[in-house]
């Protein structure tokens, strides 16, 4: 199944960041102090302990060190790593160690896996003042649109890339590959291996000569991942994790010992911090989100040692939500995180045409479409539901 390959490259070329959204009247949901039980604490400590072992076993020289609490870790590159990126303001070279919050990562990524990351008309319609305060920022950076006061013009300009509802659902594809532009692809022979995936996602306008693009183009929503560098590579992974059962990544030059920090296509953009990004990708692998393929990790059957089990992740996710005081924290109800719910009328989705895992997920969320809202209180979601699913 190749309906995603290369067509999504243009979608991610724009590099549009998510717009800040503030929803009045819900901040009081998170005034109470969070409290986690001994069971929750044990879950977080188990995640942190296993994570350090995973990085040590799979990181090719990377090490994960304890942070100041049970959520924080520091990923350290080997001392002989040569950084290339300089801060454009200070001129200082990028460091060799980076701090990450495992609680934030686990809780946020688990919610991404239940949501859609494609911008749609129903999402904008459901936002308070969505057209006036949100949509116009997505078009020409707001030039000539005057805050979407001319709503018809806004909708016409977005019509080419803005579907009414999401074209894909969580778990729609079994195995997906996300392919970056790193020069390490020139040193490997991953072509046939990549072609075997159910869907392939490319980004940053990668070359597509002899390859016709027949796929639609979409604008992407974004989710807040703290201090992690949010380049188009991470956006591509975010999209894949929202529609795929498993995600493998190629062409991101993540090996600490790899010396050729080149790109076979396009130059690194200002502000992209290579080592920080690669440390974050290793964190993703050791949270069971992705599997890395690279010149030093060429075995397609490589097992990620000490990767967390589903039960470990579930327990850590529940504890993390409580610790971070997220919307619907600790709830077994997948709709507990919905801060805005919009009821919709329309035709019943033909979920029987989807693969079994996707159908089961649709039943789990009661046919609800969940959208991430960056910087919303408690990492809440915007949810749209069919009118005939209104509870009694």
């Amino acid at each position: 199944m190749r309906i995603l390959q290369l067509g999504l490259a243009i979608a991610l070329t724009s590099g549009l960041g998510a717009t800040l959204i503030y929803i009045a009247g819900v901040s009081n949901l998170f005034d109470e102090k969070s409290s986690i039980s001994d069971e929750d604490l044990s879950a977080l400590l188990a995640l942190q302990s296993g994570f350090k072992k995973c990085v040590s076993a799979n990181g090719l020289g990377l090490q994960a060190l304890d942070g100041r609490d049970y959520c924080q870790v520091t990923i350290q590159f080997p001392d002989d790593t040569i950084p290339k990126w300089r801060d454009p303001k200070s001129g200082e070279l990028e460091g060799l160690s980076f701090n990450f919050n495992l609680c934030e990562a686990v809780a946020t990524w688990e919610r991404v896996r239940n949501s859609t990351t494609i911008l749609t008309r129903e999402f904008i319609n459901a936002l308070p003042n969505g057209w006036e305060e949100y949509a116009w920022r997505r078009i020409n950076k707001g030039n000539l649109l005057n805050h979407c006061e001319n709503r018809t013009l806004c909708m016409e300009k977005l019509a080419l890339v803005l579907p009414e509802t999401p074209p894909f659902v969580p778990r729609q594809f079994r195995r997906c590959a996300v392919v970056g532009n790193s020069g390490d692809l020139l040193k490997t022979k991953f072509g046939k291996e990549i072609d075997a995936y159910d869907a392939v996602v490319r980004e940053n306008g990668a070359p597509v000569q002899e390859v016709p693009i027949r796929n639609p183009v979409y604008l992407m929503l974004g989710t807040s991942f703290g201090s992690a560098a949010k380049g188009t590579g991470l956006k591509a992974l975010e999209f894949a994790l929202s529609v795929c059962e498993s995600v493998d990544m190629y062409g991101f030059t993540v090996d600490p010992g790899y010396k050729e920090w080149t790109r076979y296509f396009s130059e690194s953009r200002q502000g992209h911090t290579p080592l920080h990004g690669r440390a974050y990708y290793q964190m993703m692998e050791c949270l069971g989100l992705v599997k890395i393929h690279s010149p030093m990790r060429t075995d397609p059957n490589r097992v990620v040692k000490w990767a967390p089990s589903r039960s470990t992740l579930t327990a850590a996710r529940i504890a993390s939500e409580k610790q971070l005081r997220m919307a619907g924290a600790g709830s077994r109800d997948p709709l507990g995180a919905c801060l805005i719910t919009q009821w919709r009328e329309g035709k019943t989705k033909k979920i029987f045409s989807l693969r079994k895992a996707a159908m089961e997920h649709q039943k789990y969320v009661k046919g609800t479409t969940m959208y991430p809202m960056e910087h919303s209180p408690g990492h809440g979601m915007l949810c749209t539901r069919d009118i005939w699913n209104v509870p009694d």
Side-chain angles (χ1 to χ4, degrees), residues 80-369:
D80 61 353
T81 302
I82 303 175
K84 298 290 187 180
W85 183 85
R86 289 183 181 274
D87 186 284
K89 294 183 178 179
S90 68
E92 294 182 359
L93 281 171
E94 184 177 16
L96 298 182
S97 63
F98 303 93
N99 300 323
F100 296 106
N101 187 314
L102 293 184
C103 296
E104 182 182 70
V106 168
T108 305
W109 279 109
E110 286 295 293
R111 292 198 171 180
V112 165
R113 306 212 69 174
N114 287 332
S115 65
T116 180
T117 59
I118 294 177
L119 182 63
T120 66
R121 286 195 293 272
E122 75 169 6
F123 174 78
I124 294 177
N125 286 332
L127 284 177
N129 300 316
W131 288 97
E132 295 78 8
E133 300 297 330
Y134 184 86
W136 70 277
R137 301 178 187 275
R138 290 286 182 157
I139 317 167
N140 300 326
K141 298 182 179 178
N143 293 340
L144 306 177
L145 293 177
N146 197 19
H147 292 252
C148 259
E149 289 180 4
N150 186 335
R151 179 165 171 168
T152 300
L153 177 60
C154 279
M155 295 186 72
E156 287 177 353
K157 285 186 173 290
L158 279 172
L160 294 176
V161 291
L162 197 62
E164 177 62 34
T165 57
F168 308 110
V169 298
R171 319 290 193 273
Q172 184 161 341
F173 304 98
R174 186 173 68 91
R175 298 176 63 248
C176 296
V178 176
V179 184
N181 294 327
S182 168
D184 67 20
L185 285 175
L186 298 175
K187 307 294 182 180
T188 54
K189 297 182 179 179
F190 286 133
K192 291 184 179 179
E193 185 177 317
I194 292 173
D195 286 343
Y197 285 85
D198 300 308
V200 179
V201 180
R202 304 241 33 198
E203 39 90 17
N204 278 347
V208 293
Q209 293 83 1
E210 275 114 277
V211 182
I213 298 178
R214 300 190 180 94
N215 306 83
V217 177
Y218 304 109
L219 290 177
M220 315 302 282
L221 287 167
T223 300
S224 176
F225 292 99
S227 60
K230 189 68 178 290
T232 53
L234 192 57
K235 289 183 182 179
L237 290 168
E238 181 180 331
F239 168 73
L241 284 164
S242 74
V243 298
C244 305
E245 194 75 17
S246 66
V247 176
D248 290 29
M249 56 187 291
Y250 296 80
F252 282 77
T253 313
V254 291
D255 297 334
Y258 191 72
K259 303 300 182 184
E260 300 180 35
W261 304 105
T262 59
R263 294 159 68 86
Y264 83 90
F265 179 76
S266 79
E267 295 298 324
S268 295
R269 293 177 302 164
Q270 185 177 15
H272 182 67
T273 54
L275 296 184
H276 190 184
R278 288 163 195 139
Y280 194 90
Y281 297 141
Q282 185 59 61
M283 179 183 73
M284 292 180 70
E285 182 176 70
C286 283
L287 290 179
L289 295 166
V290 300
K291 184 177 179 181
I292 297 170
H293 301 261
S294 65
M296 299 174 69
R297 315 177 201 212
T298 57
D299 181 4
N301 299 314
R302 178 177 70 91
V303 176
V304 181
K305 300 176 181 178
W306 291 100
S309 65
R310 174 46 53 182
S311 59
T312 296
L313 284 175
T314 298
R317 187 263 302 168
I318 292 173
S320 296
E321 289 178 350
K322 294 178 181 178
Q323 175 67 13
L324 298 171
R325 293 180 287 178
M326 295 176 69
S331 174
R332 297 288 179 178
D333 181 3
L335 306 185
C338 299
L339 293 185
I340 296 178
T341 299
Q342 179 75 29
W343 302 101
R344 64 189 173 205
E345 296 184 29
K347 297 180 180 179
T348 305
K349 293 183 178 179
K350 296 181 179 180
I351 64 172
F352 57 82
S353 63
L354 299 173
R355 56 189 294 268
K356 183 179 179 182
M359 288 192 290
E360 290 177 347
H361 182 269
Q362 288 296 298
K363 293 177 181 177
Y364 173 64
V365 298
K366 305 171 186 176
T368 302
T369 300

